[in-house]
Amino acid sequence: RQTGTVETDAEKHDVEYLTPISIGTPPQDLIVDFDTGSSDLWVFSTEMAAKDIKGQAVYDPNNSSTSEKLQGSTWQITYGDGSSSSGDVYLDTVTIGNLTVPNQAVEAAKKVSDEFTDDPNNDGLLGLGFSSINTVQPTPQNTFFDNVKKNLDTPLFTTDLKHGAPGSYNFGYIDPAAYIGNISWTPVDNSQGFWGFTSPGYAVGTETLRNHSISGIADTGTTLLLLPKSIVKAYYSEVQGAQYDSSQGGYVFPCSPTPPDFVFGVNNGIVTVPGDMVLYAPIDSANQNCFGGIQSDTGIGFSIFGDVALKTSFVVFDAGGLQLGWAAK
Ligand SMILES: CC[C@H](C)[C@H](NC(=O)[C@H](C)NC(=O)[C@@H](CCSC)NC[C@@H](N)Cc1ccccc1)C(=O)O
């Protein structure tokens, strides 16, 4: 039985967290976005048109003695932000930290949308959602985690994302040194293929928790904390000078003073998003006004507890117990 750990680095403004992986023999090193909100491992590849590659590292299956084309298989994925990619599939050796999966489905991109072409540091996505939403046709493939979990001490992984500093993904163990206090556990609804859960309520600043059921997903691949419109309005009603700015596509407010904390419940515990984390990023060079890290989930159908929420905590994604654990750190 094994365990593993790999360091993940925050991009500017923590917009995404990028993690090194190796594919093939000899190993080809790529840096990808670990995404608990999807379930495809896809990478930039030599099968793409040169014009769609702008600085990314690419996977070359012809340069790997262990690659084997999954004949007739294709994939196509679309994300909530409208971005997309598609291509064909190889089985090859994938290594993350000290963990290796010999026959992992590696989805080689032939096409990617501009959002990916214009993100030079990101060579692809590694889905850590449930394999039920893997997009490979005719036969959906397993995620890296689903393939490796039988070899793990225990079938879980943990995230320790940080604000502007390296964090880590651990596989197969809970590091007691990574958190403080108790872990609050809550059941996972994986019926949509996501790490879904329901928070019992929220609070703004130091007020007591309001009972308000919030159903959402824990999504390392989404930057912000996207919540129901009514909650977002309630929060920003307590932020001086906050207003919805349609040109920015969300709530903006003066970068000082620091806005109030946002608290959400996890079972009988709470998670606090400090006000200075709600200050997502300045929208002007004079750093006068800031874009909020809390925005509306309108149109998605559920809330998304993205990096703004996750980086406050040490989070356990437990596939064995089908539960999420949140702890302070
Ligand atoms: C519009 C498409 C809907 C959202 C749906 N797609 C999904 O749910 C996909 C798997 N997941 C996602 O689009 C979202 C989770 C649900 S949002 C409705 N997370 C993954 C995304 N943030 C990954 C990403 C990272 C960096 C850059 C861009 C995108 C579908 O295919 O039907």
Side-chain angles (χ1 to χ4, degrees):
R1 291 262 187 259
Q2 289 182 301
T3 63
T5 183
V6 64
E7 183 177 281
T8 185
D9 289 336
E11 287 300 284
K12 187 169 167 40
H13 298 311
D14 304 340
V15 67
E16 62 189 4
Y17 290 80
L18 298 177
T19 309
I21 66 171
S22 295
I23 308 176
T25 311
Q28 299 178 34
D29 297 333
L30 286 84
I31 298 179
V32 298
D33 185 353
F34 280 22
D35 178 27
T36 58
S38 67
S39 304
D40 286 51
L41 197 188
W42 71 263
V43 288
F44 276 66
S45 83
T46 46
E47 297 180 346
M48 290 170 58
K51 70 172 175 53
D52 292 340
I53 304 170
K54 290 184 184 166
Q56 294 83 3
V58 300
Y59 168 58
D60 179 358
N62 298 327
N63 226 351
S64 169
S65 61
T66 42
S67 75
E68 183 192 328
K69 191 158 187 341
L70 203 55
Q71 285 305 344
S73 288
T74 59
W75 60 279
Q76 192 284 323
I77 195 161
T78 307
Y79 298 105
D81 65 353
S83 59
S84 62
S85 50
S86 61
D88 52 20
V89 188
Y90 293 81
L91 298 181
D92 208 340
T93 303
V94 173
T95 296
I96 298 179
N98 56 317
L99 297 174
T100 294
V101 169
N103 296 307
Q104 172 64 42
V106 178
E107 301 171 32
K110 297 173 91 165
K111 287 184 182 164
V112 304
S113 63
D114 289 348
E115 293 87 351
F116 292 112
T117 295
D118 297 340
D119 182 358
N121 302 319
N122 186 14
D123 306 332
L125 264 67
L126 186 134
L128 290 170
F130 291 84
S131 298
S132 57
I133 60 170
N134 175 269
T135 74
V136 174
Q137 290 299 329
T139 313
Q141 300 295 304
N142 281 345
T143 64
F144 176 89
F145 176 61
D146 266 354
N147 285 329
V148 80
K149 72 184 181 185
K150 58 183 173 301
N151 305 331
L152 296 176
D153 283 2
T154 180
L156 61 82
F157 63 89
T158 67
T159 68
D160 182 9
L161 305 181
K162 295 178 192 275
H163 175 47
S168 52
Y169 283 86
N170 296 345
F171 293 87
Y173 72 109
I174 293 176
D175 178 0
Y179 68 93
I180 55 176
N182 298 321
I183 298 176
S184 297
W185 296 100
T186 190
V188 161
D189 164 14
N190 65 351
S191 60
Q192 307 294 311
F194 300 122
W195 292 88
F197 70 102
T198 298
S199 166
Y202 74 97
V204 181
T206 55
E207 68 183 28
T208 51
L209 215 68
R210 306 181 203 196
N211 290 325
H212 187 128
S213 189
I214 309 168
S215 287
I217 66 171
D219 182 6
T220 56
T222 289
T223 310
L224 305 182
L225 171 51
L226 306 179
L227 293 168
K229 202 170 184 172
S230 60
I231 295 181
V232 174
K233 269 175 75 83
Y235 176 79
Y236 285 115
S237 71
E238 303 198 32
V239 177
Q240 298 161 8
Q243 56 182 3
Y244 186 87
D245 179 339
S246 48
S247 69
Q248 294 289 333
Y251 282 86
V252 300
F253 50 88
C255 297
S256 70
T258 302
D261 296 350
F262 179 81
V263 176
F264 62 92
V266 174
N267 203 342
N268 45 27
I270 60 165
V271 174
T272 299
V273 179
D276 63 0
M277 295 278 194
V278 182
L279 279 175
Y280 175 65
I283 58 171
D284 52 62
S285 51
N287 290 7
Q288 292 298 313
N289 285 307
C290 278
F291 192 76
I294 292 173
Q295 298 293 346
S296 168
D297 65 11
T298 301
I300 297 176
F302 45 79
S303 292
I304 304 189
F305 294 83
D307 300 332
V308 161
L310 294 163
K311 67 187 163 184
T312 67
S313 302
F314 173 79
V315 186
V316 185
F317 292 72
D318 179 0
L322 214 42
Q323 58 180 359
L324 274 174
W326 294 71
K329 59 189 181 190

